[in-house]
Amino acid sequence: MLKIENLHATVGDTEILKGLSLTLNAGEIHAIMGPNGAGKSTLAYALGGRPGYEVTAGSATFDGQDLLALDPHERAAAGIFLGFQYPVEIPGVSNLQFLRESLNAQRLARGEEALNGAEFIKLAKEKAALLKMDMDMLKRAVNVGFSGGEKKRNEMVQMGILDPKLAILDETDSGLDIDALRTVGNGINSIMRKPDKAVLLITHYQRLLDEVKPDFVHVLANGRIVKTGGPELALQLENEGYEAIAEAA
């Protein structure tokens, strides 16, 4: 589904990704772990097409097409969802309106019919219930006045409604208490653990992986993947930290 080969990317004048290669197949969940400054968020933003993150070498294909040749909205329409470490607030725009416009824009880009108001509300209620979010919160402005945990839960509702093929989630566990972490983990499993979907999950901590249970864990250090293993690798990192593994690599 996603194939990254020898990817180099810069932010400003600084090279952050330095030859990163990674392959995700449909039906798989991959976790990316690594120290601060290793390039985890840069990888997410480069794949999402965020301005300011320039790919200088290498390639990334998604479902066989050149991902890097697509504009951000085209990547979204192709089925990529990017979850932010710090979801932004959009004053004056209701969640429901924002999500309906986003979903219908993607549906139209794929040649599908737009959902009418009743159809969309039914879908929104279903996905909000999955994440234990009150529908009243979806009537509020996007993320305005939300706690950190509420923003992350709201983002998972967005993911459920948009129903992507590939979810790239940048530290979704940041700011979550134990109950919210379990709810978000269950949401990821319910929405994305399917044979035709995949997840690239960026995290610092083992605790989210206890809920999601990835198929593969990768250690990213100095702009490259330096070690790959199963869920046991996350436990090793929890006990030993990154330094020994990075130095050995």
Side-chain angles (χ1 to χ4, degrees):
M1 179 179 285
L2 176 68
K3 186 175 183 64
I4 304 168
E5 294 186 310
N6 193 35
L7 195 69
H8 292 250
T10 62
V11 180
D13 296 325
T14 304
E15 185 178 46
I16 305 297
L17 300 183
K18 304 174 182 179
L20 186 147
S21 297
L22 181 66
T23 299
L24 274 79
N25 297 311
E28 295 178 347
I29 294 180
H30 290 230
I32 299 275
M33 305 181 75
N36 290 329
K40 301 185 299 299
S41 293
T42 297
L43 173 62
Y45 293 153
L47 294 175
R50 183 171 179 175
Y53 292 76
E54 182 183 0
V55 174
T56 56
S59 64
T61 58
F62 177 65
D63 275 351
Q65 60 183 324
D66 182 359
L67 180 64
L68 303 178
L70 302 177
D71 290 333
H73 70 278
E74 294 173 321
R75 301 182 196 195
I80 292 179
F81 177 87
L82 176 59
F84 294 99
Q85 182 178 0
Y86 303 108
V88 298
E89 298 181 2
I90 310 179
V93 178
S94 78
N95 259 312
L96 287 175
Q97 186 66 23
F98 170 74
L99 287 171
R100 184 182 174 190
E101 294 293 335
S102 299
L103 176 61
N104 282 337
Q106 292 189 15
R107 290 177 66 89
L108 292 172
R110 295 192 292 261
E112 303 169 1
E113 290 188 6
L115 296 186
N116 63 36
E119 291 170 331
F120 176 76
I121 291 297
K122 180 181 179 181
L123 176 64
K125 285 182 177 180
E126 174 190 328
K127 300 305 180 182
L130 183 67
L131 272 297
K132 299 180 180 179
M133 175 173 277
D134 193 298
M135 276 295 292
D136 286 341
M137 294 191 71
L138 287 182
K139 297 175 184 177
R140 294 165 55 181
V142 179
N143 290 324
V144 175
F146 286 19
S147 68
E150 287 171 339
K151 289 180 179 180
K152 296 302 177 70
R153 191 174 302 191
N154 186 44
E155 197 164 54
M156 292 300 98
V157 173
Q158 293 175 14
M159 183 175 75
I161 290 172
L162 296 174
D163 194 28
K165 294 180 182 178
L166 170 65
I168 303 169
L169 305 177
D170 186 10
E171 297 197 33
T172 299
D173 51 348
S174 178
L176 298 182
D177 62 26
I178 294 173
D179 291 334
L181 184 72
R182 185 171 294 114
T183 298
V184 167
N186 289 338
I188 294 171
N189 288 327
S190 299
I191 296 164
M192 297 301 300
R193 190 172 282 283
K194 297 178 181 178
D196 59 342
K197 298 182 182 297
V199 178
L200 185 61
L201 182 63
I202 296 169
T203 183
H204 272 301
Y205 304 110
Q206 165 67 30
R207 56 182 191 166
L208 180 59
L209 305 187
D210 288 338
E211 304 295 333
V212 177
K213 295 179 174 56
D215 300 288
F216 298 95
V217 175
H218 309 279
V219 180
L220 198 163
N222 195 31
R224 295 179 294 110
I225 301 293
V226 298
K227 189 175 181 65
T228 294
E232 71 281 353
L233 178 55
L235 291 172
Q236 181 183 350
L237 293 170
E238 188 82 2
N239 293 327
E240 301 177 9
Y242 299 114
E243 186 173 353
I245 289 176
E247 286 180 353

